Structures are given as C-alpha cells and as structure tokens.
C-alpha cells in the first residue's frame, strides 16, 4: 500500500470511527440502552457504508461515469430498498422489544412517512460518494492536465534552448570569419574565447536556473569577444553588478539582446556607441541596451533573425506575469528594456 492509499485508508477509518462514537459522545454521562444504539444507529451506519463503498468502488466508475445514468439509478434504488427491508427485518426480529414511540392518539408514525424518511437518509451516503468520487476524479484530471502542460512547457523550452545554441554559434562564427583576413591573431584569440563560451552553453546551461554571477561572466566574455571584431569607430560600454550569486535566473536570457545590439548597432563607416547595463533592485533584474540604429537589409546574413523572437517566447513561458519587455527607436537609438522578477 503506497503513501496515498494509506492516507485514504486512515482518513476513511477515522470518519467511520467518529460516526460510531457519536452516540457515546452525545450521551456522555447518561445511561445508555446498547440495543437501541445498535438498532437505531449502528445498523443504519453499516448500511450507509455499504451504499457508500458499493458506489465509490464499483457503480460510479462502471455506470455513472460511463453515462449509463438510468441503470445507475435503478441499481441504487434496488440497493436502498434491500437495505431498508433488511433493516426492518433486523429490528423486527432481533430487537423486537424496542417499541416505536406512539403519538398522543396511540398510533405510531405512518408507514409511508417512515419509508420516505429512511429513503432520504439512505440517499445521503449515495450523494456523498458521488461528490467524493467526482472531486477525486477532477483532482486527478487537473493533476494530469498540469503534468501534461508542464511536459509541454519543458519540451518547448528545450526546443528553444537547442534553437538558441546554433543561432549563437552561427553569429559568432560569422564574426570570426570577418576577422580572418583582417587580423588573423584576433581571429585566433576569438576562436579560443568562443570555445570557452560554447563549453558553458553546452555543459552548464542544461538546468532550469543558474547563478546570475555565471551569466554575467558569460556575457562579459562574449562582449569582449565581440569587441575584437568592431573598429575604433564603435565604443562599447557595459556595466554589470559585481555580485549576483544570490539570484537564480533562467540561463541565456540576455545574450540575444547583446547579439542584437552588436548586429544593428555597428557601422563600418559611421561612429557608433553600444551601452549595455544591468542593475539589481531587491529581487528584480533590470537589463538595458542602447545602441545606434543601423537596420540590416534583407540580404544581410549576419544572423538568423530568431534571437528576439526566441527570447520573447522564453519570457512568456518562464516569467509569465513577472516581466516587462519593450523596445523602441528614439533619436536614432535603438533602446531595449527588460525587467524580471526572479521570485
């Protein structure tokens, strides 16, 4: 018996134990007629248990949940009729000495009224079993739905993660390729730096969250790699918190924004500036990039164009309701603001 079944067993046992104890609890300190307690309380409770568990374990699953409602009602009507008849027989034969209270005119309660009252009392365990079973089924269905949604979420995140790696690698190789003829030494250094970055992406980011400090270290190395490619016409400024070890964050969230800044913020003929800033405020991470806006034409193949789309999908999946993300062009500068709540 697993833990869940043990809890169910003990909870049901406790309920029935309380029910069987009620006559003693209500009449504590008073003289009790044990035969009357058995006849008018224990025996009905036993029949209630029969109705409850017959429905709970058999009838509800077999008939009610399979839309055979009429058959379900007929079977329960038969069970209730059998229980009422059996109870009357037991009381009449075993507890015949227990007289039914008389009215002032000497007559007992009408037979039909007694039967109706008993029928309604026997409907209680039936309705209760339906309510418990339906609730249990709903909880199970909701749990399965959440598990399916979580599996879908993890699958989609994994897909986006795998999509990001070749995209990043593709952009980095393009940058190194552009340096091969101009500066072979820089290209050589860049390949070495890229190998370190790829090692991090391949072996340390296959988790739900990483330390912000590691992400900052990764981004700093990537920016230094990108600075090797740009000319003196481009000024690159970046600022990161010195310590982010206390904050956990989804890996590789900001790299697309940095890639985008270098892709669209650098010109071969004009001066340009790229500013990258990250600040912390309690459990919030604010990330801002600002760069000159040099939109690439459709023939430019320096990137696959999936970076920001990938980022927005990941934000929706991982930080729904906990992030603010906006981009705008202002005074010939492209501005990106991303704010995340990490708890």
């Amino acid at each position: 018996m697993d833990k869940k079944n043990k809890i169910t067993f003990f909870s049901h046992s406790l309920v029935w134990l309380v029910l069987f104890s009620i006559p003693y609890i209500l009449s504590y300190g008073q003289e009790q007629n044990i035969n009357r307690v058995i006849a008018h309380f224990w025996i009905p409770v036993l029949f209630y248990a029969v109705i409850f568990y017959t429905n709970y374990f058999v009838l509800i699953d077999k008939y009610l949940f399979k839309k055979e409602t009429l058959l379900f009602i007929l079977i329960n009507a038969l069970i209730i009729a059998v229980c009422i008849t059996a109870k009357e027989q037991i009381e009449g034969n075993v507890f015949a000495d227990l007289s039914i209270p008389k009215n002032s005119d000497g007559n007992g309660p009408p037979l039909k009224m007694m039967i109706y009252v008993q029928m309604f009392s026997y409907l209680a365990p039936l309705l209760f079993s339906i309510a418990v079973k339906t609730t249990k089924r709903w909880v199970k269905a909701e749990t399965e739905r959440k598990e399916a949604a979580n599996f879908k979420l993890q699958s989609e995140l994994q897909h986006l993660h795998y999509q990001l790696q070749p995209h990043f690698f593709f952009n980095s190789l393009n940058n190194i390729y552009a340096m091969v003829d101009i500066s072979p030494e820089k290209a050589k250094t860049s390949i070495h730096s890229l190998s370190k970055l790829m090692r991090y992406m391949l072996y340390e980011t296959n988790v739900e969250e990483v330390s912000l400090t590691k992400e900052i270290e990764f981004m700093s190395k990537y920016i230094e790699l990108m600075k090797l490619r740009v000319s003196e016409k481009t000024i690159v400024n970046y600022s990161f918190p010195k310590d982010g070890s206390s904050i956990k964050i989804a890996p590789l969230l900001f790299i697309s924004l940095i890639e985008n800044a270098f892709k669209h913020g650098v010109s071969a003929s004009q001066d340009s500036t790229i500013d990258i800033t990250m600040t912390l405020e309690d459990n919030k991470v604010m990330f801002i990039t600002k760069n000159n806006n040099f939109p690439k034409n459709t023939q430019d193949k320096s990137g696959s164009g999936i970076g920001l789309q990938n980022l927005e999908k990941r934000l929706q999946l991982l930080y729904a309701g906990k992030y603010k993300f906006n981009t705008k062009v202002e005074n010939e500068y492209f501005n990106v603001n991303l704010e995340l709540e990490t708890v």
Side-chain angles (χ1 to χ4, degrees):
M1 186 183 293
D2 60 25
K3 184 178 180 181
K4 185 177 180 181
N5 288 332
K6 284 182 180 179
I7 293 173
T8 301
F9 173 78
F10 285 117
S11 61
H12 282 230
S13 300
L14 181 61
V15 169
W16 293 112
L17 178 62
V18 170
L19 285 175
F20 276 101
S21 303
I22 283 177
Y24 301 101
I25 296 172
L26 295 179
S27 59
Y28 179 75
Q30 302 176 13
E31 185 179 351
Q32 296 179 350
N33 185 326
I34 187 64
N35 287 338
R36 189 176 297 279
V37 170
I38 293 173
H40 298 315
F41 192 84
W42 283 11
I43 289 175
V45 167
L46 285 173
F47 284 124
Y48 294 160
V50 169
I51 294 172
F52 179 89
Y53 286 113
T54 302
N55 280 276
Y56 186 82
F57 288 116
V58 181
L59 299 181
I60 294 175
D61 285 327
K62 192 172 183 179
Y63 298 108
L64 186 63
F65 287 165
K66 292 184 178 179
K67 308 299 182 183
E68 297 183 28
T69 310
L70 180 60
L71 188 56
F72 175 78
I73 293 173
L74 290 175
I75 293 173
N76 272 287
L78 179 60
I79 292 173
I80 291 174
V82 170
C83 288
I84 292 175
T85 303
K87 176 180 176 293
E88 293 299 321
Q89 290 295 319
I90 293 171
E91 286 187 358
N93 296 319
V94 181
F95 302 101
D97 57 320
L98 297 177
S99 59
I100 299 174
K102 304 289 184 179
N103 295 328
S104 58
D105 58 3
N107 298 319
L111 179 61
K112 285 186 178 180
M113 187 183 77
M114 290 180 63
I115 293 174
Y116 289 151
V117 169
Q118 290 193 64
M119 284 184 65
F120 281 112
S121 69
Y122 280 92
L123 281 175
L126 168 61
L127 297 175
F128 185 57
S129 66
I130 293 173
V132 172
K133 194 72 175 181
T134 303
T135 301
K136 187 176 180 180
R137 189 189 192 199
W138 178 84
V139 170
K140 182 181 178 182
E142 187 68 10
T143 301
E144 290 175 350
R145 185 192 66 79
K146 288 181 179 180
E147 288 177 353
N150 185 60
F151 179 78
K152 181 181 178 183
L153 170 65
Q154 295 303 320
S155 298
E156 189 167 355
L157 285 171
Q158 189 176 47
H159 171 71
L160 291 171
H161 185 76
Y162 288 153
Q163 190 182 48
L164 175 63
Q165 289 184 0
H167 169 68
F168 172 84
F169 197 49
F170 177 78
N171 280 352
S172 300
L173 285 177
N174 273 339
N175 294 335
I176 294 172
Y177 176 77
M179 287 189 288
V180 170
D181 293 330
I182 302 172
S183 178
E185 285 302 317
K186 282 188 177 182
K188 189 175 179 180
T189 303
S190 297
I191 291 172
H192 181 66
S193 298
L194 179 60
S195 68
K196 292 182 178 180
L197 296 176
M198 291 306 297
R199 187 177 296 112
Y200 173 77
M201 293 187 71
L202 290 172
Y203 301 117
E204 297 188 47
T205 62
N206 292 318
V207 291
E208 292 185 5
E209 292 182 324
V210 296
S211 166
L212 184 60
T213 299
K214 287 188 175 182
E215 279 293 291
I216 290 173
E217 183 180 353
F218 170 74
M219 289 186 289
S220 299
K221 288 179 179 178
Y222 179 72
I223 293 171
E224 290 300 321
L225 172 63
M226 296 299 290
K227 285 172 66 176
L228 294 176
R229 180 194 173 188
V230 300
S231 68
E232 295 179 356
K233 290 181 176 292
T234 300
I235 299 174
V236 180
N237 303 308
Y238 66 95
S239 173
F240 295 127
K242 292 183 179 180
D243 183 21
S245 58
S246 62
I247 294 178
K248 299 291 185 180
I249 199 162
L252 307 175
L253 274 181
F254 307 107
I255 194 64
S256 298
L257 300 178
I258 298 174
E259 285 185 300
N260 191 72
F262 277 96
K263 178 181 176 182
H264 298 287
V266 176
S267 170
S269 58
Q270 301 181 48
D271 293 338
S272 60
T273 302
I274 297 174
D275 292 319
I276 301 167
T277 306
M278 176 186 283
T279 56
L280 302 179
E281 183 179 319
D282 296 327
N283 292 310
K284 288 185 179 180
V285 179
M286 280 76 73
F287 190 82
I288 300 172
T289 64
K290 180 179 179 181
N291 53 270
N292 291 89
N293 189 37
F294 301 113
K296 302 298 182 184
N297 59 50
T298 56
Q299 302 301 315
D300 190 287
K301 301 299 181 183
S302 63
S304 64
I306 64 169
L308 294 187
Q309 294 177 9
N310 184 302
L311 173 62
E312 289 197 71
K313 287 181 182 178
R314 293 186 72 208
L315 288 171
Q316 291 167 9
L317 292 170
L318 290 168
Y319 293 94
K322 294 184 177 182
Y323 78 93
K324 295 178 183 178
F325 179 60
N326 59 74
T327 62
K328 65 178 179 179
V329 177
E330 187 177 33
N331 298 326
E332 298 184 353
Y333 279 89
F334 187 77
N335 299 276
V336 177
N337 286 270
L338 172 59
E339 182 178 313
L340 293 177
E341 292 182 24
T342 59
V343 292

